Amino acid sequence: MEYLSRKLGSLTADRNFKFHPRCSKLKITHLVFADDLLLFSRADLCSIMKISACFQEFSLVSGLEANPEKCSVYFSGIEDNLKYNLKYQICDFLGFKEGVLPMKYLGLPLNTKRLSYLDCSSLIGKIQNQFQFWQKNRKLSYAGKLEMIKSVILGIQTFWMSNYILPIKVLEKIDNLCSGFLWSQKIHLTSWGTICQGKEHGGLGIFAAREWNYAAAAKLLWMVHLKKDLLWIHENYLKNQNIWIIQPRVNDSWMWKKLLKVRYILVSKFGNVEGMKNTINGCCYIGKVLLSTMYRSLIQPAPRVIWHNTVLDGFLYPKHSFTLWLTCHSRLLTKDRLCRMGILNTNLSNCMLCQWQQMET
């Protein structure tokens, strides 16, 4: 692929090759990741032929060929009177079909419009499938379910949230799915907000989806702030302006507008722009924003608890730690609680271990 990149890079010196309008300033001809390849140019047959010639030479050298069934051509900004003939000529020359947005790249939807709940259906479906598989094939304790949410589900949603600011409805759905899986769709012994607190504040260290997405957005803002000469955003949106004060324009992309909207939320959260910058900078390690630290800065912390080191000690069995954690929150389903909830008759609430003389607490 390095050879292909060099061949495509040589087009930047060819006067007959015309860049895609959004890629001309940075001279971008392609993006490549593993076997996924995006090629960019102006929609004229000469530029298309030059890109195709580079790829054909690469195919002869490497033996790798494009699969026409998996390749598509996407058009935008073409005048209506030229659209039909031009599209036909380009697709016929390449032997590829015309693609329609939204499309998927690396498992994520690419769309010109605002990301909707329907666009995120594959994310929701993937999480639901994981939960259904675990419920069907494995008998997990509360502690086991908690570990699955921490390790697997967080990884799935982080991949999306590192690239997109998801709709609030999607973030709420993710939290509802995780909460329902943890409590097996039965009685929720504690609120999801309590679970998502840090361990020193009486929680279990799970990350709430909305605040985690805001933390990922803060990381994107910081990357734009630091890498002023390396990002496509600076050429097309900032143009020597400050990321912290620039205002969205009508023709800006939906993702850029969402990012600036989160910036407003962070500014109101931390008081002002300087407070926000100092907070994000304080969450950095070797120049990189630590999402977990940024998340803790965003949530409203509960009072600290004195028992967290004892109850959530790493030397205890996770199953025992979870039971002790419920005990400290007075959330065990003892008979006195079951009576208050109307699940058990008060006549059956006495403790079996003290000869039925006291209510079980």
Side-chain angles (χ1 to χ4, degrees), residues 333-361:
L333 288 178
T334 48
K335 289 184 178 180
D336 63 331
R337 288 199 72 224
L338 293 173
C339 290
R340 290 198 298 270
M341 296 164 68
I343 296 175
L344 194 65
N345 191 306
T346 54
N347 297 326
L348 302 175
S349 64
N350 289 343
C351 178
M352 296 177 63
L353 299 179
C354 56
Q355 305 300 322
W356 300 91
Q357 295 176 4
Q358 298 291 334
M359 179 180 287
E360 180 187 274
T361 66

PDB file of all heavy atoms in Angstrom, residues 333-361:
ATOM      1  N   LEU A 333     -31.923  -7.250  48.921  1.00  0.00           N
ATOM      2  CA  LEU A 333     -33.360  -7.576  48.956  1.00  0.00           C
ATOM      3  C   LEU A 333     -33.687  -8.405  50.202  1.00  0.00           C
ATOM      4  O   LEU A 333     -34.068  -9.574  50.132  1.00  0.00           O
ATOM      5  CB  LEU A 333     -33.761  -8.320  47.682  1.00  0.00           C
ATOM      6  CG  LEU A 333     -33.800  -7.461  46.413  1.00  0.00           C
ATOM      7  CD1 LEU A 333     -34.165  -8.296  45.202  1.00  0.00           C
ATOM      8  CD2 LEU A 333     -34.788  -6.301  46.561  1.00  0.00           C
ATOM      9  N   THR A 334     -33.528  -7.767  51.359  1.00  0.00           N
ATOM     10  CA  THR A 334     -33.909  -8.404  52.616  1.00  0.00           C
ATOM     11  C   THR A 334     -35.428  -8.315  52.775  1.00  0.00           C
ATOM     12  O   THR A 334     -36.109  -7.565  52.064  1.00  0.00           O
ATOM     13  CB  THR A 334     -33.211  -7.709  53.788  1.00  0.00           C
ATOM     14  OG1 THR A 334     -33.372  -6.287  53.651  1.00  0.00           O
ATOM     15  CG2 THR A 334     -31.720  -8.039  53.790  1.00  0.00           C
ATOM     16  N   LYS A 335     -35.941  -9.054  53.738  1.00  0.00           N
ATOM     17  CA  LYS A 335     -37.405  -9.164  53.846  1.00  0.00           C
ATOM     18  C   LYS A 335     -38.066  -7.834  54.198  1.00  0.00           C
ATOM     19  O   LYS A 335     -39.185  -7.565  53.755  1.00  0.00           O
ATOM     20  CB  LYS A 335     -37.754 -10.224  54.887  1.00  0.00           C
ATOM     21  CG  LYS A 335     -37.456 -11.650  54.422  1.00  0.00           C
ATOM     22  CD  LYS A 335     -37.914 -12.675  55.451  1.00  0.00           C
ATOM     23  CE  LYS A 335     -37.650 -14.097  54.955  1.00  0.00           C
ATOM     24  NZ  LYS A 335     -38.075 -15.111  55.935  1.00  0.00           N
ATOM     25  N   ASP A 336     -37.389  -7.009  55.003  1.00  0.00           N
ATOM     26  CA  ASP A 336     -38.005  -5.718  55.335  1.00  0.00           C
ATOM     27  C   ASP A 336     -38.168  -4.841  54.093  1.00  0.00           C
ATOM     28  O   ASP A 336     -39.184  -4.153  53.936  1.00  0.00           O
ATOM     29  CB  ASP A 336     -37.185  -4.990  56.414  1.00  0.00           C
ATOM     30  CG  ASP A 336     -35.783  -4.659  55.937  1.00  0.00           C
ATOM     31  OD1 ASP A 336     -35.262  -5.409  55.086  1.00  0.00           O
ATOM     32  OD2 ASP A 336     -35.208  -3.653  56.418  1.00  0.00           O
ATOM     33  N   ARG A 337     -37.179  -4.885  53.152  1.00  0.00           N
ATOM     34  CA  ARG A 337     -37.299  -4.123  51.911  1.00  0.00           C
ATOM     35  C   ARG A 337     -38.374  -4.704  51.008  1.00  0.00           C
ATOM     36  O   ARG A 337     -39.124  -3.970  50.361  1.00  0.00           O
ATOM     37  CB  ARG A 337     -35.963  -4.097  51.161  1.00  0.00           C
ATOM     38  CG  ARG A 337     -34.910  -3.233  51.815  1.00  0.00           C
ATOM     39  CD  ARG A 337     -33.821  -2.866  50.825  1.00  0.00           C
ATOM     40  NE  ARG A 337     -34.300  -1.912  49.846  1.00  0.00           N
ATOM     41  CZ  ARG A 337     -34.060  -1.980  48.543  1.00  0.00           C
ATOM     42  NH1 ARG A 337     -33.360  -2.998  48.055  1.00  0.00           N
ATOM     43  NH2 ARG A 337     -34.504  -1.069  47.725  1.00  0.00           N
ATOM     44  N   LEU A 338     -38.440  -6.015  50.945  1.00  0.00           N
ATOM     45  CA  LEU A 338     -39.460  -6.657  50.106  1.00  0.00           C
ATOM     46  C   LEU A 338     -40.862  -6.324  50.601  1.00  0.00           C
ATOM     47  O   LEU A 338     -41.791  -6.161  49.803  1.00  0.00           O
ATOM     48  CB  LEU A 338     -39.243  -8.168  50.082  1.00  0.00           C
ATOM     49  CG  LEU A 338     -37.970  -8.657  49.371  1.00  0.00           C
ATOM     50  CD1 LEU A 338     -37.793 -10.157  49.566  1.00  0.00           C
ATOM     51  CD2 LEU A 338     -38.031  -8.326  47.890  1.00  0.00           C
ATOM     52  N   CYS A 339     -41.010  -6.196  51.915  1.00  0.00           N
ATOM     53  CA  CYS A 339     -42.316  -5.801  52.461  1.00  0.00           C
ATOM     54  C   CYS A 339     -42.653  -4.365  52.087  1.00  0.00           C
ATOM     55  O   CYS A 339     -43.792  -4.055  51.703  1.00  0.00           O
ATOM     56  CB  CYS A 339     -42.314  -5.971  53.984  1.00  0.00           C
ATOM     57  SG  CYS A 339     -42.297  -7.682  54.531  1.00  0.00           S
ATOM     58  N   ARG A 340     -41.655  -3.472  52.187  1.00  0.00           N
ATOM     59  CA  ARG A 340     -41.904  -2.068  51.835  1.00  0.00           C
ATOM     60  C   ARG A 340     -42.233  -1.914  50.355  1.00  0.00           C
ATOM     61  O   ARG A 340     -42.979  -1.022  49.961  1.00  0.00           O
ATOM     62  CB  ARG A 340     -40.680  -1.226  52.188  1.00  0.00           C
ATOM     63  CG  ARG A 340     -40.438  -1.049  53.670  1.00  0.00           C
ATOM     64  CD  ARG A 340     -39.516   0.125  53.949  1.00  0.00           C
ATOM     65  NE  ARG A 340     -38.211  -0.058  53.362  1.00  0.00           N
ATOM     66  CZ  ARG A 340     -37.190  -0.649  53.986  1.00  0.00           C
ATOM     67  NH1 ARG A 340     -37.348  -1.123  55.214  1.00  0.00           N
ATOM     68  NH2 ARG A 340     -36.022  -0.755  53.387  1.00  0.00           N
ATOM     69  N   MET A 341     -41.703  -2.823  49.545  1.00  0.00           N
ATOM     70  CA  MET A 341     -41.964  -2.770  48.108  1.00  0.00           C
ATOM     71  C   MET A 341     -43.256  -3.474  47.727  1.00  0.00           C
ATOM     72  O   MET A 341     -43.655  -3.456  46.567  1.00  0.00           O
ATOM     73  CB  MET A 341     -40.789  -3.400  47.344  1.00  0.00           C
ATOM     74  CG  MET A 341     -39.478  -2.633  47.521  1.00  0.00           C
ATOM     75  SD  MET A 341     -38.012  -3.575  47.027  1.00  0.00           S
ATOM     76  CE  MET A 341     -38.259  -3.664  45.261  1.00  0.00           C
ATOM     77  N   GLY A 342     -43.912  -4.094  48.697  1.00  0.00           N
ATOM     78  CA  GLY A 342     -45.171  -4.776  48.434  1.00  0.00           C
ATOM     79  C   GLY A 342     -45.022  -6.130  47.779  1.00  0.00           C
ATOM     80  O   GLY A 342     -45.999  -6.698  47.279  1.00  0.00           O
ATOM     81  N   ILE A 343     -43.800  -6.669  47.781  1.00  0.00           N
ATOM     82  CA  ILE A 343     -43.559  -7.966  47.151  1.00  0.00           C
ATOM     83  C   ILE A 343     -43.824  -9.103  48.129  1.00  0.00           C
ATOM     84  O   ILE A 343     -44.248 -10.186  47.734  1.00  0.00           O
ATOM     85  CB  ILE A 343     -42.104  -8.031  46.625  1.00  0.00           C
ATOM     86  CG1 ILE A 343     -41.905  -6.982  45.533  1.00  0.00           C
ATOM     87  CG2 ILE A 343     -41.750  -9.412  46.098  1.00  0.00           C
ATOM     88  CD1 ILE A 343     -40.484  -6.862  45.028  1.00  0.00           C
ATOM     89  N   LEU A 344     -43.607  -8.842  49.427  1.00  0.00           N
ATOM     90  CA  LEU A 344     -43.738  -9.874  50.449  1.00  0.00           C
ATOM     91  C   LEU A 344     -44.750  -9.436  51.498  1.00  0.00           C
ATOM     92  O   LEU A 344     -44.826  -8.250  51.848  1.00  0.00           O
ATOM     93  CB  LEU A 344     -42.369 -10.129  51.094  1.00  0.00           C
ATOM     94  CG  LEU A 344     -42.208 -11.375  51.949  1.00  0.00           C
ATOM     95  CD1 LEU A 344     -42.360 -12.636  51.102  1.00  0.00           C
ATOM     96  CD2 LEU A 344     -40.844 -11.375  52.624  1.00  0.00           C
ATOM     97  N   ASN A 345     -45.498 -10.392  52.012  1.00  0.00           N
ATOM     98  CA  ASN A 345     -46.469 -10.117  53.077  1.00  0.00           C
ATOM     99  C   ASN A 345     -45.727  -9.840  54.375  1.00  0.00           C
ATOM    100  O   ASN A 345     -44.753 -10.513  54.701  1.00  0.00           O
ATOM    101  CB  ASN A 345     -47.406 -11.334  53.245  1.00  0.00           C
ATOM    102  CG  ASN A 345     -48.594 -11.011  54.137  1.00  0.00           C
ATOM    103  OD1 ASN A 345     -48.427 -10.555  55.259  1.00  0.00           O
ATOM    104  ND2 ASN A 345     -49.785 -11.255  53.610  1.00  0.00           N
ATOM    105  N   THR A 346     -46.180  -8.863  55.143  1.00  0.00           N
ATOM    106  CA  THR A 346     -45.498  -8.495  56.392  1.00  0.00           C
ATOM    107  C   THR A 346     -45.474  -9.640  57.387  1.00  0.00           C
ATOM    108  O   THR A 346     -44.613  -9.693  58.263  1.00  0.00           O
ATOM    109  CB  THR A 346     -46.186  -7.269  57.029  1.00  0.00           C
ATOM    110  OG1 THR A 346     -47.584  -7.540  57.176  1.00  0.00           O
ATOM    111  CG2 THR A 346     -45.986  -6.040  56.167  1.00  0.00           C
ATOM    112  N   ASN A 347     -46.413 -10.562  57.289  1.00  0.00           N
ATOM    113  CA  ASN A 347     -46.432 -11.700  58.212  1.00  0.00           C
ATOM    114  C   ASN A 347     -45.282 -12.676  57.965  1.00  0.00           C
ATOM    115  O   ASN A 347     -45.026 -13.551  58.790  1.00  0.00           O
ATOM    116  CB  ASN A 347     -47.764 -12.463  58.088  1.00  0.00           C
ATOM    117  CG  ASN A 347     -48.955 -11.609  58.472  1.00  0.00           C
ATOM    118  OD1 ASN A 347     -48.842 -10.755  59.365  1.00  0.00           O
ATOM    119  ND2 ASN A 347     -50.090 -11.814  57.819  1.00  0.00           N
ATOM    120  N   LEU A 348     -44.641 -12.541  56.807  1.00  0.00           N
ATOM    121  CA  LEU A 348     -43.549 -13.458  56.459  1.00  0.00           C
ATOM    122  C   LEU A 348     -42.185 -12.777  56.517  1.00  0.00           C
ATOM    123  O   LEU A 348     -41.222 -13.257  55.947  1.00  0.00           O
ATOM    124  CB  LEU A 348     -43.780 -14.013  55.045  1.00  0.00           C
ATOM    125  CG  LEU A 348     -45.089 -14.764  54.814  1.00  0.00           C
ATOM    126  CD1 LEU A 348     -45.227 -15.139  53.343  1.00  0.00           C
ATOM    127  CD2 LEU A 348     -45.167 -16.013  55.685  1.00  0.00           C
ATOM    128  N   SER A 349     -42.115 -11.650  57.232  1.00  0.00           N
ATOM    129  CA  SER A 349     -40.905 -10.842  57.193  1.00  0.00           C
ATOM    130  C   SER A 349     -39.922 -11.140  58.324  1.00  0.00           C
ATOM    131  O   SER A 349     -38.852 -10.561  58.368  1.00  0.00           O
ATOM    132  CB  SER A 349     -41.274  -9.356  57.235  1.00  0.00           C
ATOM    133  OG  SER A 349     -41.904  -9.049  58.475  1.00  0.00           O
ATOM    134  N   ASN A 350     -40.270 -12.003  59.245  1.00  0.00           N
ATOM    135  CA  ASN A 350     -39.374 -12.251  60.375  1.00  0.00           C
ATOM    136  C   ASN A 350     -38.171 -13.090  59.956  1.00  0.00           C
ATOM    137  O   ASN A 350     -38.234 -13.897  59.028  1.00  0.00           O
ATOM    138  CB  ASN A 350     -40.122 -12.965  61.506  1.00  0.00           C
ATOM    139  CG  ASN A 350     -41.107 -12.044  62.187  1.00  0.00           C
ATOM    140  OD1 ASN A 350     -41.021 -10.838  62.046  1.00  0.00           O
ATOM    141  ND2 ASN A 350     -42.061 -12.608  62.919  1.00  0.00           N
ATOM    142  N   CYS A 351     -37.085 -12.907  60.710  1.00  0.00           N
ATOM    143  CA  CYS A 351     -35.824 -13.586  60.397  1.00  0.00           C
ATOM    144  C   CYS A 351     -35.865 -15.034  60.854  1.00  0.00           C
ATOM    145  O   CYS A 351     -36.254 -15.345  61.989  1.00  0.00           O
ATOM    146  CB  CYS A 351     -34.682 -12.850  61.077  1.00  0.00           C
ATOM    147  SG  CYS A 351     -33.083 -13.633  60.813  1.00  0.00           S
ATOM    148  N   MET A 352     -35.418 -15.919  59.989  1.00  0.00           N
ATOM    149  CA  MET A 352     -35.413 -17.345  60.312  1.00  0.00           C
ATOM    150  C   MET A 352     -34.272 -17.714  61.262  1.00  0.00           C
ATOM    151  O   MET A 352     -34.303 -18.758  61.911  1.00  0.00           O
ATOM    152  CB  MET A 352     -35.274 -18.163  59.024  1.00  0.00           C
ATOM    153  CG  MET A 352     -36.447 -18.009  58.071  1.00  0.00           C
ATOM    154  SD  MET A 352     -36.195 -18.916  56.535  1.00  0.00           S
ATOM    155  CE  MET A 352     -36.132 -20.603  57.145  1.00  0.00           C
ATOM    156  N   LEU A 353     -33.232 -16.859  61.360  1.00  0.00           N
ATOM    157  CA  LEU A 353     -32.052 -17.210  62.147  1.00  0.00           C
ATOM    158  C   LEU A 353     -32.172 -16.830  63.624  1.00  0.00           C
ATOM    159  O   LEU A 353     -31.354 -17.251  64.440  1.00  0.00           O
ATOM    160  CB  LEU A 353     -30.824 -16.522  61.550  1.00  0.00           C
ATOM    161  CG  LEU A 353     -30.502 -16.907  60.098  1.00  0.00           C
ATOM    162  CD1 LEU A 353     -29.268 -16.138  59.618  1.00  0.00           C
ATOM    163  CD2 LEU A 353     -30.260 -18.407  59.997  1.00  0.00           C
ATOM    164  N   CYS A 354     -33.147 -16.016  63.972  1.00  0.00           N
ATOM    165  CA  CYS A 354     -33.302 -15.634  65.386  1.00  0.00           C
ATOM    166  C   CYS A 354     -34.684 -16.037  65.894  1.00  0.00           C
ATOM    167  O   CYS A 354     -35.351 -15.280  66.600  1.00  0.00           O
ATOM    168  CB  CYS A 354     -33.062 -14.151  65.570  1.00  0.00           C
ATOM    169  SG  CYS A 354     -34.093 -13.091  64.568  1.00  0.00           S
ATOM    170  N   GLN A 355     -35.093 -17.229  65.450  1.00  0.00           N
ATOM    171  CA  GLN A 355     -36.343 -17.827  65.954  1.00  0.00           C
ATOM    172  C   GLN A 355     -37.569 -16.957  65.680  1.00  0.00           C
ATOM    173  O   GLN A 355     -38.484 -16.893  66.483  1.00  0.00           O
ATOM    174  CB  GLN A 355     -36.215 -18.124  67.477  1.00  0.00           C
ATOM    175  CG  GLN A 355     -35.010 -18.984  67.834  1.00  0.00           C
ATOM    176  CD  GLN A 355     -35.008 -20.332  67.173  1.00  0.00           C
ATOM    177  OE1 GLN A 355     -36.041 -20.984  67.019  1.00  0.00           O
ATOM    178  NE2 GLN A 355     -33.828 -20.762  66.693  1.00  0.00           N
ATOM    179  N   TRP A 356     -37.559 -16.275  64.555  1.00  0.00           N
ATOM    180  CA  TRP A 356     -38.715 -15.487  64.102  1.00  0.00           C
ATOM    181  C   TRP A 356     -39.077 -14.336  65.042  1.00  0.00           C
ATOM    182  O   TRP A 356     -40.191 -13.847  65.041  1.00  0.00           O
ATOM    183  CB  TRP A 356     -39.948 -16.390  63.933  1.00  0.00           C
ATOM    184  CG  TRP A 356     -39.753 -17.484  62.943  1.00  0.00           C
ATOM    185  CD1 TRP A 356     -39.295 -18.727  63.222  1.00  0.00           C
ATOM    186  CD2 TRP A 356     -39.999 -17.436  61.548  1.00  0.00           C
ATOM    187  NE1 TRP A 356     -39.232 -19.491  62.081  1.00  0.00           N
ATOM    188  CE2 TRP A 356     -39.681 -18.727  61.014  1.00  0.00           C
ATOM    189  CE3 TRP A 356     -40.462 -16.459  60.667  1.00  0.00           C
ATOM    190  CZ2 TRP A 356     -39.798 -19.030  59.680  1.00  0.00           C
ATOM    191  CZ3 TRP A 356     -40.592 -16.764  59.337  1.00  0.00           C
ATOM    192  CH2 TRP A 356     -40.262 -18.041  58.856  1.00  0.00           C
ATOM    193  N   GLN A 357     -38.120 -13.878  65.842  1.00  0.00           N
ATOM    194  CA  GLN A 357     -38.450 -12.822  66.815  1.00  0.00           C
ATOM    195  C   GLN A 357     -38.261 -11.414  66.270  1.00  0.00           C
ATOM    196  O   GLN A 357     -38.815 -10.458  66.779  1.00  0.00           O
ATOM    197  CB  GLN A 357     -37.592 -12.996  68.072  1.00  0.00           C
ATOM    198  CG  GLN A 357     -37.883 -14.289  68.825  1.00  0.00           C
ATOM    199  CD  GLN A 357     -36.962 -14.474  70.014  1.00  0.00           C
ATOM    200  OE1 GLN A 357     -36.150 -13.595  70.320  1.00  0.00           O
ATOM    201  NE2 GLN A 357     -37.081 -15.606  70.705  1.00  0.00           N
ATOM    202  N   GLN A 358     -37.416 -11.263  65.229  1.00  0.00           N
ATOM    203  CA  GLN A 358     -37.125  -9.954  64.683  1.00  0.00           C
ATOM    204  C   GLN A 358     -37.359  -9.953  63.174  1.00  0.00           C
ATOM    205  O   GLN A 358     -37.267 -10.984  62.513  1.00  0.00           O
ATOM    206  CB  GLN A 358     -35.668  -9.574  64.961  1.00  0.00           C
ATOM    207  CG  GLN A 358     -35.329  -9.471  66.453  1.00  0.00           C
ATOM    208  CD  GLN A 358     -35.995  -8.304  67.129  1.00  0.00           C
ATOM    209  OE1 GLN A 358     -36.311  -7.293  66.481  1.00  0.00           O
ATOM    210  NE2 GLN A 358     -36.246  -8.439  68.421  1.00  0.00           N
ATOM    211  N   MET A 359     -37.670  -8.773  62.659  1.00  0.00           N
ATOM    212  CA  MET A 359     -37.787  -8.633  61.198  1.00  0.00           C
ATOM    213  C   MET A 359     -36.416  -8.756  60.562  1.00  0.00           C
ATOM    214  O   MET A 359     -35.418  -8.275  61.098  1.00  0.00           O
ATOM    215  CB  MET A 359     -38.403  -7.272  60.849  1.00  0.00           C
ATOM    216  CG  MET A 359     -38.540  -7.006  59.365  1.00  0.00           C
ATOM    217  SD  MET A 359     -39.269  -5.393  58.965  1.00  0.00           S
ATOM    218  CE  MET A 359     -40.972  -5.689  59.406  1.00  0.00           C
ATOM    219  N   GLU A 360     -36.342  -9.422  59.426  1.00  0.00           N
ATOM    220  CA  GLU A 360     -35.065  -9.570  58.709  1.00  0.00           C
ATOM    221  C   GLU A 360     -34.675  -8.258  58.052  1.00  0.00           C
ATOM    222  O   GLU A 360     -35.396  -7.723  57.234  1.00  0.00           O
ATOM    223  CB  GLU A 360     -35.182 -10.660  57.666  1.00  0.00           C
ATOM    224  CG  GLU A 360     -33.885 -10.859  56.904  1.00  0.00           C
ATOM    225  CD  GLU A 360     -34.031 -11.824  55.739  1.00  0.00           C
ATOM    226  OE1 GLU A 360     -33.895 -13.036  55.960  1.00  0.00           O
ATOM    227  OE2 GLU A 360     -34.305 -11.349  54.609  1.00  0.00           O
ATOM    228  N   THR A 361     -33.500  -7.769  58.418  1.00  0.00           N
ATOM    229  CA  THR A 361     -32.967  -6.527  57.853  1.00  0.00           C
ATOM    230  C   THR A 361     -31.608  -6.827  57.214  1.00  0.00           C
ATOM    231  O   THR A 361     -31.113  -7.937  57.299  1.00  0.00           O
ATOM    232  CB  THR A 361     -32.812  -5.447  58.920  1.00  0.00           C
ATOM    233  OG1 THR A 361     -31.800  -5.870  59.837  1.00  0.00           O
ATOM    234  CG2 THR A 361     -34.097  -5.195  59.633  1.00  0.00           C
TER     235      THR A 361
END
